[in-house]
Amino acid sequence: MIDIEGFQNYLYEEELSKNSIATYVRGVQRFAELFDEVTKPNLLEFKQFLMSNFKPQTVNLRLTAMMRYCKYKGINETIKLVKEPKKTHIDNIITEDQYNRLIDGLRSDGDYRWYYHVILLAKTGMRISEALRVTKKDILSGSVTMHTKGHMRTIYFPKSLIEEMREYLEQFNDRDTIMINHNGKAITSRGVSGEFKKLADRYGIPRENVHPHAFRHFFAIEFLKRNNNIALLADLLGHGSVKITQIYLRQSQEQQRKAVDDAVDW
């Protein structure tokens, strides 16, 4: 029998994030739907099943979950991950023109709550999970250190952002979170995503380019235009490796296609 409950408790004691625990448990649950025990033949068959039905990233997540489970149970089995195709472009990122259209539209419409939500994400590179925890005191302090993705990282608030938000922040108490809904209550990441889709429609921007993580990408690209210190950007984004950050040195697929069209004239 596969011990799902015990494995979940083990991950909790290892102090993994909720998302990581959910991902690993999901992977082991999928294995348990097919097999009653962990053996090398079963692991290999599971790998083949995954490769036939899922993308390489999902395959590796579920195989990694099984390796975690083996460690938990003291099972001396390993299995190689599949090679993921190297990504040579970045997509679904809001462009500078689209960003300006969005914030200009929000200002013009007097929708300052969402205006400040957008610039808070775009000028800090925060993950939405981090932004939802940010308080008035954090912003006015100029920085905040948070526990994110299993480690501590510091998020900085630029002076220009602080000055722009200062009047807006007067409505909050020091420990109030800043990301709020129309009722003045704390908003969820799902609520933010849903509202961004409406804003995309309102201002004629492709929906796929307006999502919480798009502004993290936007921050990274705009930062590199002004400061090409990739190691510094990796620290600011909380990446564990500069290799992750290097994707922002690449052009989007649309930009690559245009470059080929412009260059190939023979």
Side-chain angles (χ1 to χ4, degrees):
M1 284 290 293
I2 306 300
D3 182 12
I4 302 292
E5 185 176 350
F7 180 55
Q8 188 168 8
N9 291 334
Y10 163 77
L11 295 175
Y12 178 79
E13 291 172 1
E14 289 285 297
E15 298 185 0
L16 272 66
S17 70
K18 288 183 179 179
N19 287 340
S20 294
I21 291 173
T23 298
Y24 288 143
V25 168
R26 195 178 304 120
V28 175
Q29 285 174 332
R30 196 60 189 257
F31 181 89
E33 292 171 5
L34 302 171
F35 307 98
D36 290 328
E37 69 175 315
V38 179
T39 64
K40 186 69 170 185
N42 285 351
L43 286 171
L44 290 173
E45 189 174 340
F46 183 55
K47 179 178 179 179
Q48 291 302 316
F49 164 77
L50 293 174
M51 291 172 63
S52 299
N53 292 279
F54 300 99
K55 294 180 180 179
Q57 184 178 16
T58 302
V59 173
N60 285 338
L61 279 173
R62 292 183 176 172
L63 292 178
T64 301
M66 289 309 302
M67 292 304 96
R68 281 269 187 173
Y69 183 81
C70 287
K71 182 179 179 182
Y72 156 62
K73 297 295 288 185
I75 299 171
N76 189 26
E77 295 289 358
T78 59
I79 190 165
K80 292 181 180 179
L81 302 182
V82 300
K83 288 187 177 180
E84 297 185 36
K86 188 175 181 180
K87 194 169 184 181
T88 60
H89 57 79
I90 47 178
D91 294 306
N92 300 336
I93 297 173
I94 191 166
T95 66
E96 187 174 4
D97 287 343
Q98 291 168 347
Y99 172 75
N100 288 329
R101 190 191 316 165
L102 175 59
I103 61 173
D104 289 346
L106 289 168
R107 262 198 310 248
S108 178
D109 291 342
D111 195 343
Y112 289 104
R113 177 167 56 92
W114 281 102
Y115 171 79
Y116 287 116
H117 289 175
V118 168
I119 66 171
L120 182 63
L121 292 171
K123 295 189 177 186
T124 61
M126 283 188 290
R127 300 177 178 91
I128 187 61
S129 60
E130 296 165 338
L132 294 175
R133 290 183 276 159
V134 165
T135 67
K136 171 184 177 178
K137 183 179 180 181
D138 294 334
I139 295 175
L140 294 180
S141 297
S143 67
V144 61
T145 300
M146 287 187 176
H147 186 269
T148 305
K149 296 281 186 179
H151 65 275
M152 303 298 292
R153 88 177 190 92
T154 300
I155 298 162
Y156 296 97
F157 304 99
K159 288 182 179 179
S160 59
L161 176 66
I162 296 172
E163 290 307 310
E164 189 169 6
M165 292 192 71
R166 194 176 292 279
E167 184 176 349
Y168 175 74
L169 292 173
E170 289 178 359
Q171 65 183 295
F172 298 96
N173 295 318
D174 280 354
R175 297 192 180 279
D176 287 346
T177 54
I178 302 307
M179 299 283 281
I180 56 174
N181 61 22
H182 64 283
N183 293 320
K185 304 295 183 182
I187 197 169
T188 64
S189 58
R190 189 173 183 177
V192 174
S193 296
E195 192 64 32
F196 278 165
K197 299 307 177 190
K198 296 177 185 177
L199 295 179
D201 293 341
R202 186 194 303 179
Y203 299 113
I205 303 170
R207 278 186 162 212
E208 61 270 21
N209 290 1
V210 186
H211 54 89
H213 217 68
F215 298 103
R216 180 169 163 84
H217 296 323
F218 179 78
F219 169 84
I221 291 169
E222 294 303 313
F223 184 89
L224 284 175
K225 287 180 182 177
R226 297 159 176 80
N227 186 326
N228 64 358
N229 188 334
I230 192 77
L232 172 59
L233 179 59
D235 287 340
L236 295 177
L237 293 175
H239 286 166
S241 168
V242 172
K243 290 182 179 179
I244 300 172
T245 319
Q246 285 176 337
I247 188 68
Y248 295 113
L249 296 174
R250 301 183 183 278
Q251 293 181 317
S252 70
Q253 192 171 29
E254 182 180 348
Q255 289 171 321
Q256 290 181 355
R257 184 182 295 112
K258 185 178 185 304
V260 171
D261 289 342
D262 292 344
V264 180
D265 59 1
W266 57 86

